Structures are given as structure tokens and as C-alpha cells.
Amino acid sequence: MARRTTAAILAMAGLLSLAACTSNPVQAPPAKPGQSATTAPVGAPSTEPTPSPTPTETGPTSVPVTQTCDQLVPAQALYDYNPNFAPVPDYTPAAGTDAALIESYQGVACGWSNLSSGNTVEIAVAHLGSEDIEKLANSLVLTTPSVPTYGGVDYFKYANGVGTANAFSGDYWIVARSAEFFEPGDAAQLVASVKAALA
């Protein structure tokens, strides 16, 4: 079962931050009439006061991600990571998570379940504009330790029993999250597979 990251809102014009362990400084698309424009927080609520973001009429620049889950993490790559994992058909990320937000940006979210523990590995990918990627990376600097593990300036944080990796491949934003990830290296094989598929 996918676990939720901790939410924190970053005061940046036109930007919305999700999670204390992952930051998302790009604003969600405007809500339809009758719908709320806010995104539900993930995990335990933050105890620190957070300023409200400045709303804008448009969300981030995004391009549809065309790769499927089977292409991002092929069967062999999944087996090499852990033969006890199997794909979750028609995986749907929990509302309010970074993965759900990524899906709203024309991205893709995938899930694989450990047949023994029941833990889920969740990977989501969005293709954003260069400026949005830069804003996202800049906000992660403030909330999440940087790591060299994934071949670039990327980020990993373990909190509330869940490890979350934020990695970048060009203008692609990759989020990998699981209770199986205790340290950055635990997600390295899967992130490498995703990056190879996006190259």
C-alpha cells in the first residue's frame, strides 16, 4: 500500500509545494467549477506555519509522458531489483501525493507490490518545462538532502517509515517512494532503469 509523504507549502509565486520529504514547487492545474483548488496534504500535518502560495491561472508547462510502466521498469529490471515484486495492474496513486500530482501533469504513475511484505514501490514521472524543473530542484534544496547516487544532483529522504527519491533526467522529474527504501542506494536500480527508458 502506497504511503504518503509529509506536506509543506512553499511560498513561491505560482508554486505549490507538497511534502516535507519531497517538494513540488509547480502549481496544480486550476480546479473545475465546483471543485477545490487545493491538494490534500500527505502524511502527518506539518506543525510549522506555512504561508499561502500566490495563485496563478495556469499550471506548469508539461508534456505527456509516453513511456508505459513496463517500459520504465521492464520485467528483467524488476526481477534484478527483487524477484519478489510484481506489477500492480491499473495502479492509482493516493490522492494528495506527489505521484497523483505528477499524473495531473500528463505524467505516469506506476506501482509494484512485494508479494511477501505487501509493501509497494511507487514510481512517477513527469515531463515539465525547464523553468519548472529548476524551481522544483531549488525547492528540494531547502527540504531534502542531496545525493549523488542517481547520477546527478538528486535528492533522498527517509521519514515516517518511507524513503523518497527525487531524481531528474533532463526535463523529467522522477519520484520513487517506498517503505522498502531505507537509504538512497535502495532505489538506485529502479531509478537507473527509469532514466534509461527516458534517455
Side-chain angles (χ1 to χ4, degrees):
M1 170 174 150
R3 304 203 184 174
R4 297 183 176 183
T5 55
T6 303
I9 300 174
L10 183 64
M12 226 180 242
L15 308 179
L16 177 64
S17 272
L18 283 177
C21 59
T22 65
S23 294
N24 171 32
V26 286
Q27 182 186 349
K32 296 178 181 178
Q35 291 181 336
S36 171
T38 59
T39 303
V42 180
S46 174
T47 57
E48 298 180 4
T50 52
S52 298
T54 302
T56 60
E57 294 183 359
T58 60
T61 302
S62 63
V63 177
V65 174
T66 60
Q67 289 84 354
T68 66
C69 295
D70 289 340
Q71 290 172 326
L72 292 172
V73 181
Q76 186 61 52
L78 183 64
Y79 184 86
D80 292 343
Y81 167 70
N82 187 329
N84 214 27
F85 271 86
V88 177
D90 302 319
Y91 180 75
T92 301
T97 61
D98 286 338
L101 190 64
I102 282 173
E103 275 198 334
S104 77
Y105 296 154
Q106 304 182 83
V108 61
C110 310
W112 298 268
S113 179
N114 187 313
L115 301 177
S116 295
S117 68
N119 290 333
T120 298
V121 165
E122 178 181 75
I123 294 179
V125 181
H127 190 182
L128 304 177
S130 298
E131 290 185 2
D132 294 311
I133 288 290
E134 183 178 359
K135 290 172 185 176
L136 177 59
N138 288 342
S139 70
L140 282 164
V141 169
L142 304 176
T143 62
T144 309
S146 62
V147 295
T149 314
Y150 313 121
V153 180
D154 302 306
Y155 304 86
F156 181 89
K157 189 170 185 177
Y158 183 81
N160 301 319
V162 177
T164 303
N166 281 267
F168 299 95
S169 180
D171 289 340
Y172 288 96
W173 173 31
I174 304 163
V175 174
R177 185 167 65 105
S178 180
E180 301 276 336
F181 302 156
F182 297 98
E183 56 186 30
D186 293 336
Q189 281 182 273
L190 297 175
V191 172
S193 176
V194 173
K195 284 191 171 188
L198 297 173

Coordinates of all heavy atoms in Angstrom, one line a residue, residues 8-17 50-54:
A8 N 4.3 20.2 2.9 CA 4.7 21.6 3.3 C 4.5 22.5 2.1 O 4.9 22.2 1.0 CB 6.1 21.6 3.8
I9 N 3.9 23.7 2.3 CA 3.6 24.6 1.2 C 4.7 25.6 1.2 O 5.0 26.3 2.1 CB 2.3 25.2 1.4 CG1 1.2 24.1 1.5 CG2 1.9 26.2 0.3 CD1 -0.2 24.6 1.8
L10 N 5.3 25.8 0.0 CA 6.4 26.7 -0.2 C 5.9 28.0 -0.8 O 5.2 28.0 -1.8 CB 7.5 26.1 -1.1 CG 8.8 26.9 -1.4 CD1 9.5 27.1 -0.1 CD2 9.6 26.3 -2.4
A11 N 6.3 29.2 -0.1 CA 5.7 30.5 -0.6 C 6.5 30.9 -1.8 O 7.6 31.5 -1.7 CB 5.8 31.5 0.5
M12 N 6.1 30.6 -3.0 CA 6.7 31.0 -4.2 C 5.6 31.4 -5.2 O 4.6 30.7 -5.2 CB 7.5 29.8 -4.8 CG 8.9 30.1 -5.2 SD 9.6 28.6 -5.8 CE 11.0 28.5 -4.7
A13 N 5.8 32.5 -5.9 CA 4.7 32.9 -6.8 C 4.3 31.8 -7.8 O 5.2 31.3 -8.5 CB 5.1 34.1 -7.6
G14 N 3.1 31.4 -7.7 CA 2.5 30.5 -8.7 C 3.0 29.0 -8.4 O 2.9 28.2 -9.3
L15 N 3.5 28.7 -7.2 CA 4.0 27.4 -7.0 C 3.3 26.7 -5.8 O 3.0 27.4 -4.8 CB 5.5 27.5 -6.7 CG 6.3 28.2 -7.7 CD1 7.8 28.3 -7.3 CD2 6.2 27.6 -9.1
L16 N 3.2 25.4 -5.8 CA 2.6 24.6 -4.7 C 3.6 23.6 -4.3 O 4.0 22.8 -5.1 CB 1.3 24.0 -5.2 CG 0.6 23.1 -4.1 CD1 0.2 24.0 -2.9 CD2 -0.6 22.5 -4.7
S17 N 4.0 23.5 -3.0 CA 4.9 22.5 -2.5 C 4.1 21.4 -1.8 O 3.3 21.7 -1.0 CB 5.9 23.1 -1.5 OG 7.0 23.6 -2.1
T50 N 2.9 27.8 7.6 CA 3.4 27.9 6.2 C 2.5 29.0 5.5 O 1.3 29.0 5.7 CB 3.1 26.6 5.5 OG1 1.8 26.2 5.7 CG2 4.1 25.5 6.0
P51 N 3.2 29.9 4.8 CA 2.5 30.9 4.1 C 1.7 30.3 2.9 O 2.0 29.3 2.4 CB 3.6 31.9 3.6 CG 4.8 31.0 3.5 CD 4.6 29.9 4.6
S52 N 0.7 31.0 2.5 CA -0.2 30.6 1.4 C 0.5 31.0 0.0 O 1.1 32.0 -0.1 CB -1.5 31.3 1.4 OG -2.2 30.9 2.6
P53 N 0.5 30.1 -1.0 CA 1.1 30.4 -2.2 C 0.2 31.4 -3.0 O -1.0 31.6 -2.7 CB 1.0 29.0 -3.0 CG -0.1 28.3 -2.4 CD -0.2 28.8 -0.9
T54 N 0.8 32.1 -3.9 CA 0.1 33.0 -4.7 C -0.5 32.3 -5.9 O 0.3 31.6 -6.7 CB 1.1 34.1 -5.3 OG1 1.7 34.8 -4.1 CG2 0.3 35.1 -6.1

